[in-house]
Amino acid sequence: MAATINQARSALSKMFNSERYSHFTLQSDEEGDEGSHVEVRLSDDEVDDHAPSEQVGQPGGSPSYRPRPQQNNHKVCYLALGTLFIFIIGYLIGYVSHHSPRKEPITCDSEQEVGVAEEAVVESSLSWNDITSLLAQRLTPDAFNSRLSDVEQTDHVAGSSADGILEYHVFDSFKSLEMEPWTDVHYVQLQTANSQKPNRVMIGQEEVGQPKGYLAYSATGKAQGKAVYGNYGSQEDLMLLQNLKVELNGTVILLRATGQISLAQQVANVAALGVSAVLIYLDPKDYRFQPTTELYGHVHLGSGDPFTPGFPSFNHTQFPPTQSSGLPTVLAQSITAASAAKILTRIGGLESPLSFKGSLDNVKYTLGGASSEDVTVEVNNVLQDTEIHNVFGVIKGFTEPDRYVLLGAQRDAWGPGYAKATVGTTLLLELARAVSEMVHTDGFRPRRSLVFASWSAGEYGSVGATEWLEGFFSSLDRRAFTYISLDGVVTGHGEFKVSASPLLYSLLESTMKEVKNPIGFGESGKSLYDKVSGVNFEKAVFEPMKMEDSAYPFLAFSGIPSLSFRFVSQGSEAYPYYGTSLDNKDHLGYATAHRLNSLATGAGLVAGQLALRLVHDHVLRLDVQRYRMVLSQSVVKINQRLKQVTRDGSAESLSARWLIMALGSYSRAATDLNTDLLNTDLTDTLACHNINDRIMRVEHNLLSPYVSPKEVPFRHLLFGRGSHTLAALLEGEDREVLRTQLALATWTLQGCANALSGDVWDSDNQM
């Protein structure tokens, strides 16, 4: 063994002893070496790159590792190359051992690589004009008309088999578009007519009729009283009756239906004055129908299942027996015009004012009262536990898929419900198809998601939609940034009306400038905006959002910026056929001058462009400055009102000063947001996300945190109902109550301003 080692050593010695190399002697520890080892450093931070190579032979180093005198330049050259080779090997070892592991590469064939490249090109090349053009190409009157026949139903009451058939159709349509559909199941109580024991109305001993129509959520039982005629049952009408000394307590009051006041509000108005029952009919002056036309509706002054107020009606939910404060305590029943005529001819009393006059034949429209015959009303409606299904489909966004705009339509109806539900459901499906094809075929890449929703039990007061909102209330404010209702979007052809959150005013205005007017006879090429140009835009287009609007619970209950709109006939208050069997294709055709397909397509373009703009842009097109203007108008009125209340000096501390300061905080926060937006790089996803966060907080933070959702479900400071609203500050008389209301309204508005400011250190809390 020793001989072999010596032979190897001799060979090495000869190799390094040539005049081309310098060699190193390696001395053993036995000769007294203290440093015979060489340390290899694998990381860059352990090596001083600037240290001279001679350092290893400096005093204090290892005496066993020293160079011999160089023989010639060739040896130095080869030595340097060898050292460099060792260094490279060491560097590679260090790189492999310290570098983070790489992800497994995704393999794709050449066709896939080409597809990915093409998608990238399409995405970058789609401008907003491209997107709106694609939508217009895919959303056409012919396509709408073709879909319409698939959705038509003669009767599709919530929870019925016909409602189920339509539900499956919507689900299958979403599935065919690869929209990952799902259903949301609720178990609700719906009130229906008793098939075994019909409702009855009598005057004296004569039966006026057994109406087939009914008003859901009426109180049940039997009531009797003197008959009184109360016109529409508005506050002005009732005040006039009281001024004429007509006693209302304990009476049966007869009202004519109107599009200006909901059935529920009519019943609530007269119930507050102590009537025992309410009868509502369709007067021929307002509704040119056959006198035997039946009326259907609901009288719950609220939305959702009134027996689970503020809570979702899921099957596993267990709550103690409770009910909505909006349920009436009096009997309410609809009757035909023919039945109303029989009563009005026999009630006597004072002659009614001119504004009370209707058009029933041979009827004088007297007010009734003490001289009237007794009228008996018997309501035998029954509550039925009903399973209802909401259906959803989603087109997911590519950047922020967890944020979405909602588009929804009511699916059920009493009777055909053509304007009420059929047109909206058809548009929902057509918009879903159009946008889906834009994504799959045209390369459209929305940043955020679009959720399409088909609601059930809308006729009972947006029951399906409200139950869903109640079930997901805690998360929706961070996810859903806008709701667009497709219900009742076409009821005429003369005007365009909108109800919306002020956050959406500017977006709607710009959208109307881009969408061509489908109702402009001989005005080809003009936009919807051209119809109202030159006048006050907000006054001409916007109207207050009412409780019966299907978008209302999204805005006033959940704090989601919401919008509903409709094409209406010139000067029309409401579509006259709602709630009757006459809401069919023929009557809607007459109301739209037989241009339903074009009008519906125009409505689809409005809704579609609103939604696409919201999911396409880097920053949400929700205008916080427009809210400042609306809030300012209310605060100015409140300030004037409080000055009147405190004019005698007895309530000096009752002042709008702090409310005005809260408004100032909101104004500064809105200005700061716009400044931050101007200084934001729109390609910075995180920066845009933070800006959008602040915008999305506005509507939700206008919900008062000081009232219970169970007792006061509509908690919105501006659009809600209750003592917490700014409107309530204009009506109250009790100064202590006003002081409390003022404080709570002030801190609600200040909280909204703080949320809009963003981070807590940016809050402008100067109060």
Side-chain angles (χ1 to χ4, degrees):
M1 182 69 176
T4 303
I5 294 175
N6 287 334
Q7 290 176 2
R9 181 179 296 171
S10 176
L12 286 170
S13 177
K14 290 179 181 179
M15 181 179 70
F16 284 104
N17 250 338
S18 68
E19 298 195 2
R20 303 180 67 178
Y21 299 92
S22 58
H23 76 278
F24 298 84
T25 57
L26 190 62
Q27 299 177 356
S28 68
D29 289 340
E30 295 175 356
E31 297 179 1
D33 273 342
E34 297 177 359
S36 61
H37 68 281
V38 177
E39 218 174 290
V40 180
R41 305 175 190 263
L42 299 180
S43 64
D44 293 338
D45 57 356
E46 294 179 15
V47 178
D48 186 357
D49 294 332
H50 302 289
S53 60
E54 292 84 353
Q55 186 175 356
V56 294
Q58 294 295 321
S62 171
S64 62
Y65 186 67
R66 61 181 184 272
R68 288 195 176 192
Q70 294 180 348
Q71 300 298 320
N72 54 39
N73 292 334
H74 293 289
K75 295 178 181 179
V76 174
C77 180
Y78 281 95
L79 177 61
L81 289 173
T83 303
L84 178 62
F85 178 78
I86 294 172
F87 175 80
I88 292 173
I89 295 298
Y91 178 83
L92 291 175
I93 294 172
Y95 180 86
V96 172
S97 61
H98 287 80
H99 194 267
S100 59
R102 296 176 63 185
K103 293 183 179 179
E104 189 71 14
I106 299 174
T107 59
C108 60
D109 56 32
S110 59
E111 291 183 1
Q112 288 175 318
E113 290 176 350
V114 172
V116 171
E118 287 178 350
E119 286 184 2
V121 171
V122 171
E123 178 183 2
S124 62
S125 64
L126 285 180
S127 66
W128 175 244
N129 286 337
D130 295 331
I131 293 169
T132 56
S133 295
L134 287 170
L135 180 66
Q137 291 170 18
R138 297 195 173 277
L139 203 64
T140 65
D142 289 341
F144 173 83
N145 189 52
S146 177
R147 174 83 67 171
L148 197 59
S149 59
D150 296 334
V151 179
E152 292 176 352
Q153 297 279 347
T154 56
D155 189 10
H156 37 119
V157 177
S160 66
S161 58
D163 182 32
I165 292 172
L166 195 50
E167 170 205 336
Y168 292 134
H169 176 73
V170 173
F171 188 94
D172 290 343
S173 296
F174 289 164
K175 186 176 181 180
S176 69
L177 297 170
E178 300 179 6
M179 291 173 60
E180 304 177 24
W182 72 96
T183 58
D184 175 63
V185 182
H186 293 277
Y187 298 83
V188 299
Q189 294 192 68
L190 304 180
Q191 193 185 66
T192 63
N194 189 335
S195 59
Q196 304 299 319
K197 192 177 182 181
N199 299 337
R200 302 171 64 207
V201 178
M202 301 179 65
I203 182 165
Q205 300 301 314
E206 178 187 349
E207 184 174 88
V208 173
Q210 295 184 5
K212 295 179 181 179
Y214 66 96
L215 301 178
Y217 300 124
S218 163
T220 57
K222 182 184 289 188
Q224 186 178 68
K226 299 295 183 180
V228 171
Y229 172 58
N231 199 26
Y232 297 121
S234 66
Q235 296 290 359
E236 294 77 12
D237 292 337
L238 298 177
M239 182 67 71
L240 185 55
L241 287 177
Q242 290 176 313
N243 291 339
L244 293 172
K245 308 300 182 183
V246 177
E247 179 61 44
L248 296 177
N249 188 46
T251 62
V252 174
I253 192 167
L254 182 62
L255 304 176
R256 49 177 174 159
T258 172
Q260 299 178 2
I261 310 173
S262 69
L263 298 171
Q265 189 64 63
Q266 286 180 293
V267 173
N269 287 348
V270 297
L273 298 177
V275 303
S276 61
V278 188
L279 298 173
I280 302 178
Y281 76 100
L282 300 167
D283 195 279
K285 185 175 183 178
D286 309 296
Y287 303 89
R288 297 176 182 177
F289 304 158
Q290 292 295 322
T292 56
T293 302
E294 300 280 355
L295 174 65
Y296 298 80
H298 79 89
V299 290
H300 173 215
L301 194 62
S303 68
D305 183 348
F307 298 97
T308 58
F311 307 105
S313 298
F314 291 127
N315 193 35
H316 61 270
T317 306
Q318 298 295 323
F319 295 113
T322 185
Q323 65 181 37
S324 167
S325 59
L327 280 176
T329 57
V330 302
L331 306 186
Q333 175 62 45
S334 59
I335 60 174
T336 65
S339 297
K342 294 179 181 179
I343 297 173
L344 287 169
T345 56
R346 297 172 60 176
I347 65 174
L350 297 173
E351 185 174 348
S352 65
L354 185 62
S355 60
F356 279 43
K357 301 292 186 180
S359 298
L360 285 171
D361 293 336
N362 302 317
V363 172
K364 294 182 178 180
Y365 289 93
T366 53
L367 298 178
S371 61
S372 168
E373 294 186 54
D374 286 342
V375 173
T376 303
V377 179
E378 184 178 342
V379 177
N380 300 308
N381 297 343
V382 293
L383 285 172
Q384 292 188 345
D385 292 326
T386 308
E387 179 180 326
I388 62 171
H389 295 178
N390 299 320
V391 184
F392 300 87
V394 61
I395 297 174
K396 292 183 178 178
F398 287 74
T399 305
E400 299 177 285
D402 60 333
R403 292 183 168 179
Y404 42 85
V405 60
L406 282 156
L407 297 100
Q410 171 183 321
R411 191 177 65 244
D412 66 295
W414 283 303
Y418 220 81
K420 188 76 170 182
T422 302
V423 170
T425 300
T426 303
L427 264 185
L428 183 77
L429 297 177
E430 276 299 284
L431 277 168
R433 177 195 58 77
V435 178
S436 181
E437 290 177 354
M438 289 170 62
V439 171
H440 293 300
T441 305
D442 303 321
F444 172 51
R445 297 292 180 263
R447 286 183 171 80
R448 302 168 200 93
S449 300
L450 298 98
V451 174
F452 296 81
S454 173
W455 311 112
S456 186
E459 291 281 42
Y460 289 85
S462 301
V463 172
T466 302
E467 296 308 309
W468 181 75
L469 290 172
E470 291 173 343
F472 297 94
F473 178 81
S474 60
S475 61
L476 284 175
D477 66 299
R478 299 187 298 274
R479 298 286 183 264
F481 51 83
T482 298
Y483 178 71
I484 300 171
S485 172
L486 299 176
D487 294 332
V489 291
V490 180
T491 60
H493 67 87
E495 294 180 338
F496 185 76
K497 295 293 183 180
V498 182
S499 298
S501 161
L503 289 174
L504 291 161
Y505 283 7
S506 296
L507 177 59
L508 181 85
E509 186 173 354
S510 63
T511 300
M512 288 179 63
K513 291 177 180 178
E514 296 174 346
V515 176
K516 290 184 179 180
N517 184 4
I519 59 178
F521 296 100
E523 297 179 355
S524 177
K526 289 193 173 182
S527 70
L528 278 175
Y529 186 84
D530 291 333
K531 181 78 175 177
V532 294
S533 62
V535 299
N536 186 314
F537 172 74
E538 291 187 15
K539 186 176 181 180
V541 173
F542 291 102
E543 50 189 19
M545 187 177 290
K546 300 177 181 178
M547 186 184 292
E548 58 269 26
D549 193 316
S550 57
Y552 185 79
F554 290 85
L555 177 63
F557 174 78
S558 291
I560 299 172
S562 303
L563 176 143
S564 64
F565 65 94
R566 56 201 173 101
F567 288 103
V568 299
S569 296
Q570 193 84 29
S572 173
E573 292 290 342
Y575 187 61
Y577 304 107
Y578 281 154
T580 73
S581 61
L582 302 178
D583 182 9
N584 54 37
K585 187 174 185 177
D586 289 340
H587 284 105
L588 186 56
Y590 296 141
T592 59
H594 302 288
R595 301 188 66 197
L596 172 60
N597 296 339
S598 296
L599 287 161
T601 303
L605 290 173
V606 170
Q609 288 196 197
L610 286 168
L612 293 180
R613 179 62 93 175
L614 287 166
V615 300
H616 170 263
D617 288 359
H618 291 84
V619 175
L620 294 173
R621 288 290 187 99
L622 300 176
D623 190 350
V624 297
Q625 291 285 2
R626 292 296 274 267
Y627 236 131
R628 179 188 63 79
M629 297 166 62
V630 175
L631 287 166
S632 297
Q633 293 170 1
S634 294
V635 171
V636 167
K637 293 178 182 178
I638 291 169
N639 187 42
Q640 294 172 346
R641 163 73 172 159
L642 293 179
K643 286 180 178 179
Q644 293 176 349
V645 171
T646 59
R647 186 168 295 169
D648 60 2
S650 60
E652 294 180 1
S653 62
L654 193 61
S655 167
R657 174 189 174 191
W658 302 111
L659 183 62
I660 294 171
M661 292 182 69
L663 176 63
S665 294
Y666 179 90
S667 299
R668 286 186 290 275
T671 301
D672 290 344
L673 178 79
N674 285 343
T675 301
D676 292 344
L677 181 56
L678 290 173
N679 296 323
T680 297
D681 178 4
L682 295 182
T683 63
D684 186 334
T685 302
L686 180 58
C688 291
H689 187 91
N690 291 336
I691 291 286
N692 290 336
D693 269 348
R694 292 162 64 184
I695 295 173
M696 289 173 63
R697 293 173 189 159
V698 171
E699 201 80 72
H700 187 77
N701 279 278
L702 285 173
L703 300 181
S704 173
Y706 306 109
V707 291
S708 163
K710 175 181 176 295
E711 301 298 330
V712 186
F714 304 123
R715 298 180 293 136
H716 201 286
L717 188 65
L718 270 173
F719 302 107
R721 293 177 64 94
S723 61
H724 63 284
T725 63
L726 294 182
L729 287 167
L730 297 172
E731 301 169 354
E733 296 292 341
D734 188 303
R735 294 179 182 181
E736 288 305 314
V737 172
L738 280 173
R739 183 175 285 108
T740 301
Q741 291 174 322
L742 187 60
L744 299 185
T746 297
W747 281 108
T748 300
L749 182 53
Q750 183 63 48
C752 178
N754 292 343
L756 180 58
S757 296
D759 295 312
V760 65
W761 50 82
D762 292 326
S763 297
D764 179 15
N765 198 358
Q766 301 179 13
M767 297 186 64

